[in-house]
Amino acid sequence: MIFRVSSNLVYIIGTVYLCSKLIAGNNQFSPNIRYHSPHANTSLNYSYINLKHVKGHKLDVTPLATYSVKNRSMCVKECVKTKGECKSINLQQQTNGYGCEILDKDIYITRGKLVNDPSITHSLIANKCMRQKCEKGYMCVPNYLQNTFSCQMGSCKEIKEKIPSSPSGYYNILLAGYTRTVFCDMEEDMGGWMLIANYSIEETNNPPRINYINMKTYFTGAHMNGMVLSTSELVPINEWSSIQEIRFQCYKPSHGRMVHFKNNIENKWGRYLIDYVLKRVGVMNCKPDQNNAACSDIGSSLTPMSGDTSFMSSQSNRFGWGNNAQRLYNHGIYGGPYHYILINGRLDCDDHGGFKGKGSWWRIYLR
């Protein structure tokens, strides 16, 4: 997208002495933003922000805060008050002033969200990404306070496509607007799978409690046992990464069988499964156990993967998934009486409420 950025304007908030010289000549501060903090030199007790303006555009994201202000400077002041949470501003002129939106995202960590709107000016903090270019396939992510930038990718799949030799392991990716450390399976089915649920019964026959956690907490320890991403976090991940595939895997030594399936994106019900899990669509209108005609090709909705030895695979004409708030973890998939369930109090793996013993494990991946 090409847009015109107007000349920058430095806003100074606080007591300033010879501000232009101090900003230009003081190497300990970023030239683009500083938040007021006590300083031995009282002449440096001020805040400033260097903004670039994109007229006729808005960043179409949910605002951190919204204000009605008399002038542009008052909106900028509200941005500076956040001390780092504010990344950009939408400003709309109104009859008695301006509508001011404080945003915790910028054009670099959102995709396709800068839209035309003649009534709005979008203002972003001046940064290195305005002049630096990342290699094709990478996204430039500015660090405003340090006046630096980094080049990042947005998914395990993008990493695998860009660098085919990438091994399985931990990678930093830009996900839903934030840099996260995730575990990527780069081997199974050509790789590019992001782990979102990792649960196992390791030491005793007493299963540990499942922790359904938010994105920030999950991606700081995705390898840790019991870390299962809350289903509410799947929507922002989907908006960022355009997820198409999901992979279920589990094993129980009590019966010795492994479940290993992915949805078949060539099949309408396979596509429906990922749409349903990510809450793109509502409850399915197909009830396999009732021989509903609408389910005529549901047997091809799931594809067995390497190592699958499940009884579930022999029940393909009875494939289904749970119609409840959890969606993903409560009857994530099932084939007749053989279930995949990962909730507290119910841990099924190709069985129906079977023994939950030491050595059992469950994993779910997205791609």
Side-chain angles (χ1 to χ4, degrees), residues 183 194-200 210-213 218-219 222-230 234 246-249 328-329 340 342 361-366:
F183 182 85
M194 180 177 68
L195 181 68
I196 64 162
N198 182 32
Y199 179 85
S200 61
I210 300 171
N211 299 308
Y212 300 103
I213 52 184
Y218 179 81
F219 290 115
H223 63 290
M224 296 176 64
N225 183 33
M227 301 291 257
V228 176
L229 191 65
S230 169
L234 296 178
I246 185 167
R247 178 157 64 95
F248 297 88
Q249 194 173 14
L328 176 58
Y329 304 120
Y340 187 108
L342 182 57
W361 52 264
W362 290 255
R363 295 177 192 138
I364 300 177
Y365 300 84
L366 297 178

Side-chain angles (χ1 to χ4, degrees), residues 290-303:
Q290 297 180 14
N291 295 317
N292 191 324
C295 310
S296 59
D297 61 345
I298 201 167
S300 301
S301 61
L302 296 172
T303 300

Side-chain angles (χ1 to χ4, degrees), residues 119-135:
S119 68
I120 294 178
T121 294
H122 178 66
S123 299
L124 59 152
I125 303 168
N127 62 83
K128 289 285 188 179
C129 287
M130 289 181 165
R131 296 185 178 181
Q132 304 292 338
K133 298 292 184 182
C134 289
E135 187 179 346

Side-chain angles (χ1 to χ4, degrees), residues 83-273:
K83 294 190 174 182
E85 288 187 88
C86 174
K87 299 295 190 298
S88 61
I89 295 168
N90 286 330
L91 196 69
Q92 183 178 39
Q93 190 163 7
Q94 299 174 343
T95 304
N96 296 315
Y98 293 86
C100 166
E101 289 186 344
I102 304 299
L103 311 177
D104 61 355
K105 295 180 175 61
D106 58 31
I107 61 174
Y108 305 101
I109 60 173
T110 55
R111 294 182 173 183
K113 296 293 185 178
L114 187 67
V115 298
N116 293 322
D117 191 322
S119 68
I120 294 178
T121 294
H122 178 66
S123 299
L124 59 152
I125 303 168
N127 62 83
K128 289 285 188 179
C129 287
M130 289 181 165
R131 296 185 178 181
Q132 304 292 338
K133 298 292 184 182
C134 289
E135 187 179 346
K136 185 177 180 180
Y138 291 83
M139 292 169 286
C140 187
V141 182
N143 184 315
Y144 296 105
L145 287 175
Q146 297 180 13
N147 196 32
T148 60
F149 74 98
S150 60
C151 296
Q152 300 182 21
M153 293 191 190
S155 69
C156 296
K157 183 179 179 181
E158 288 182 10
I159 294 172
K160 188 65 176 180
E161 290 175 345
K162 181 67 177 178
I163 311 173
S165 61
S166 299
S168 295
Y170 295 95
Y171 293 86
N172 290 326
I173 66 172
L174 190 64
L175 186 65
Y178 298 93
T179 300
R180 305 295 187 197
T181 300
V182 303
F183 182 85
C184 298
D185 178 355
M186 298 301 199
E187 299 173 7
E188 184 68 39
D189 189 37
M190 297 186 293
W193 294 95
M194 180 177 68
L195 181 68
I196 64 162
N198 182 32
Y199 179 85
S200 61
I201 305 173
E202 297 177 343
E203 298 181 357
T204 70
N205 288 332
N206 296 317
R209 184 169 181 80
I210 300 171
N211 299 308
Y212 300 103
I213 52 184
N214 62 35
M215 195 185 306
K216 182 177 180 180
T217 304
Y218 179 81
F219 290 115
T220 57
H223 63 290
M224 296 176 64
N225 183 33
M227 301 291 257
V228 176
L229 191 65
S230 169
T231 54
S232 64
E233 299 288 357
L234 296 178
V235 175
I237 290 178
N238 169 60
E239 290 176 349
W240 180 261
S241 299
S242 299
I243 295 164
Q244 294 183 319
E245 295 176 282
I246 185 167
R247 178 157 64 95
F248 297 88
Q249 194 173 14
C250 67
Y251 171 77
K252 277 188 177 181
S254 57
H255 55 52
R257 299 189 301 276
M258 178 186 290
V259 170
H260 196 189
F261 285 98
K262 73 171 183 177
N263 66 310
N264 177 11
I265 59 175
E266 301 300 322
N267 172 273
K268 71 176 183 180
W269 289 112
R271 294 191 298 272
Y272 177 91
L273 172 57

